C-alpha cells in the first residue's frame, strides 16, 4: 500500500471528479473528497490489495455521498432486474460528436441513480463492469445490466430530441 500522501496526490482528482459527477456540487464534492481521504487513513489497515486503490477510494466516497443524501432526504433506491437486451448502438461512439455529447450530458444530469453513476463510471471513469460492481457491492452482471439500462434511456431520449 502506498503512503497516504502519495495516494492523496495520485487519486484526489479522480475521487473529486467522481464525487462531482454524483453530487453536481463542487464544494460538496471537495468536502466529501477530504472526508474520503480522512476515512482512508483510518481504514488503510483494512485495505484488501485484491482490488484497485481507486475502486476502494471511490467506494468510500460513494458511501459518504449516500450517507449525505440519506441525511438530506435526497436518496432513493430501486431494484434492478438481472437481464436486459442490448440495442447494439454504441454510446461511446456517439460521445465523439460534441453537440450530441452535450445532449447526452443534459440527459445524464436528469437521470436518477444508480443509472447515472454507473454510466458515468463506465464511460467517463473508464472502469470495468467488475470494478463498478465492487463500488456498489453488487455483481459484475448487475453493473452491466444497469449500464445498458442507462444506455437505453439515453438512446430513447436522444431519439425523442431528433
Amino acid at each position: 500500500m502506498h503512503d497516504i500522501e502519495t495516494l492523496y496526490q495520485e487519486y484526489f482528482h479522480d475521487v473529486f471528479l467522481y464525487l462531482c459527477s454524483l453530487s453536481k456540487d463542487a464544494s460538496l464534492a471537495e468536502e466529501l473528497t477530504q472526508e474520503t481521504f480522512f476515512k482512508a487513513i483510518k481504514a488503510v489497515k483494512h485495505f484488501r490489495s485484491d482490488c484497485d486503490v481507486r475502486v476502494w477510494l471511490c467506494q468510500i466516497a460513494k458511501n459518504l455521498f449516500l450517507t449525505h443524501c440519506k441525511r438530506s432526504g435526497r436518496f432513493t433506491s430501486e431494484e434492478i432486474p438481472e437481464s436486459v437486451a442490448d440495442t447494439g448502438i454504441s454510446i461511446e461512439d456517439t460521445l465523439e460528436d460534441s453537440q450530441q455529447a452535450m445532449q447526452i450530458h443534459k440527459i445524464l444530469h436528469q437521470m436518477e441513480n444508480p443509472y447515472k453513476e454507473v454510466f458515468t463510471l463506465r464511460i467517463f471513469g473508464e472502469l470495468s463492469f467488475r470494478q463498478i460492481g465492487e463500488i456498489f457491492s453488487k455483481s459484475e452482471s448487475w453493473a452491466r445490466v444497469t449500464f445498458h439500462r442507462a444506455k437505453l434511456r439515453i438512446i430513447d431520449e436522444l431519439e425523442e430530441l431528433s
Side-chain angles (χ1 to χ4, degrees):
M1 180 72 169
H2 303 86
D3 68 65
I4 199 67
E5 186 174 331
T6 303
L7 282 177
Y8 186 83
Q9 290 173 352
E10 283 185 39
Y11 297 106
F12 178 88
H13 188 69
D14 291 340
V15 173
F16 173 74
L17 289 177
Y18 172 64
L19 285 165
C20 276
S21 74
L22 294 178
S23 68
K24 305 294 184 238
D25 180 342
S27 62
L28 175 61
E30 188 170 347
E31 180 184 323
L32 291 175
T33 302
Q34 297 290 343
E35 197 173 337
T36 296
F37 283 92
F38 178 71
K39 283 205 175 261
I41 290 169
K42 290 175 24 178
V44 74
K45 64 183 174 234
H46 300 294
F47 174 70
R48 296 184 331 257
S49 58
D50 63 338
C51 81
D52 183 38
V53 174
R54 183 182 347 198
V55 171
W56 179 64
L57 290 169
C58 285
Q59 179 64 48
I60 294 170
K62 177 183 154 243
N63 288 339
L64 288 168
F65 176 71
L66 292 176
T67 299
H68 169 79
C69 289
K70 286 177 187 175
R71 286 185 185 142
S72 65
R74 204 175 128 189
F75 181 78
T76 60
S77 63
E78 176 179 330
E79 285 301 311
I80 309 298
E82 287 295 323
S83 63
V84 66
D86 190 359
T87 64
I89 298 172
S90 173
I91 290 292
E92 295 85 349
D93 294 338
T94 305
L95 282 174
E96 292 177 11
D97 174 8
S98 63
Q99 183 179 17
Q100 199 156 28
M102 187 59 177
Q103 290 176 327
I104 290 171
H105 285 293
K106 287 178 182 178
I107 293 166
L108 194 57
H109 180 71
Q110 300 300 319
M111 192 177 286
E112 72 277 0
N113 278 319
Y115 304 106
K116 176 187 349 187
E117 187 176 355
V118 169
F119 186 86
T120 300
L121 288 171
R122 178 70 179 166
I123 298 299
F124 305 112
E126 299 180 358
L127 295 181
S128 70
F129 290 120
R130 181 187 58 76
Q131 291 170 316
I132 294 168
E134 285 180 26
I135 289 173
F136 282 89
S137 300
K138 303 267 188 180
S139 68
E140 180 177 338
S141 167
W142 176 89
R144 191 177 306 276
V145 167
T146 305
F147 172 77
H148 287 294
R149 286 187 171 246
K151 185 170 135 176
L152 290 171
R153 288 181 181 194
I154 291 169
I155 290 167
D156 288 344
E157 291 283 332
L158 287 173
E159 287 174 354
E160 285 180 22
L161 293 173
S162 299

